[in-house]
Amino acid sequence: MALVTVTDSARDYLAELINKQDVEGMGVRIFVTQPGTKHAETCLAYCPPNEVVPTDEQLDLGKFTLFLDHNSVPFLEEAYVDYAKDQMGGQLTIKAPNAKVPKIDDDAPLPDRVNYILASEINPGLASHGGDVQLVEIVDESVAVLRFGGGCQGCSAVSLTLKQGVESTLKERVPEITAVRDVTDHSYKENAYYQ
């Protein structure tokens, strides 16, 4: 069973929306579109009784049932749904840290663990500048060779990002990594974020 946390405020808010639909037995389905890719998005949708899929996992939340799309379950591990009231009414927040890459075990192969940290922790920060980083290979003595893309390619701040951001995070989270090396051609500056 995937561990999905739905706060009390989110349950109350969703239950209120469901009640407005006036459909007996209406639930909510949570699913991930394009799971395991950098384009993955976690979504909530109404789930009337005639759309329940037998393979869905079900969480009884008291006021309604949350249906977890079977194919999305590995990507919903540690997902969190919250609702916070604000001056404009409120904000429903869905966080699914494993939507882009499913959570892996500590004994997974080294490249899988590096890719997981890149996808779940490093790339979301780089995306705010239109950039991303990918693992090319791991070479002698556990050196991760990376390729920066998007706004990172040609960026003058990439060496700082590589050493203080990417390398320190990777070495902390994957202790077997001894260093990080960049193979990106930073002389191409057409889409660089900082020039």
Side-chain angles (χ1 to χ4, degrees), residues 45-150:
Y46 293 119
C47 185
N50 64 333
E51 292 182 14
V52 173
V53 178
T55 57
D56 284 351
E57 293 191 18
Q58 299 180 21
L59 290 176
D60 182 0
L61 298 180
K63 298 179 179 184
F64 63 93
T65 300
L66 181 67
F67 297 94
L68 287 73
D69 172 67
H70 175 74
N71 294 330
S72 299
V73 167
F75 303 94
L76 291 171
E77 183 88 19
E78 299 178 1
Y80 181 80
V81 182
D82 188 28
Y83 179 76
K85 290 186 178 184
D86 61 25
Q87 297 144 345
M88 302 299 286
Q91 177 75 35
L92 184 67
T93 304
I94 309 167
K95 294 182 181 180
N98 300 303
K100 295 181 187 321
V101 178
K103 188 170 183 174
I104 57 170
D105 295 327
D106 291 338
D107 60 349
L110 186 57
D112 291 352
R113 289 184 283 141
V114 169
N115 279 323
Y116 177 77
I117 299 302
L118 291 175
S120 65
E121 296 183 27
I122 295 171
N123 279 333
L126 296 177
S128 65
H129 297 277
D132 70 327
V133 64
Q134 297 174 342
L135 176 66
V136 175
E137 64 181 334
I138 296 181
V139 295
D140 301 333
E141 300 182 26
S142 298
V143 175
V145 180
L146 306 175
R147 176 175 288 115
F148 285 84

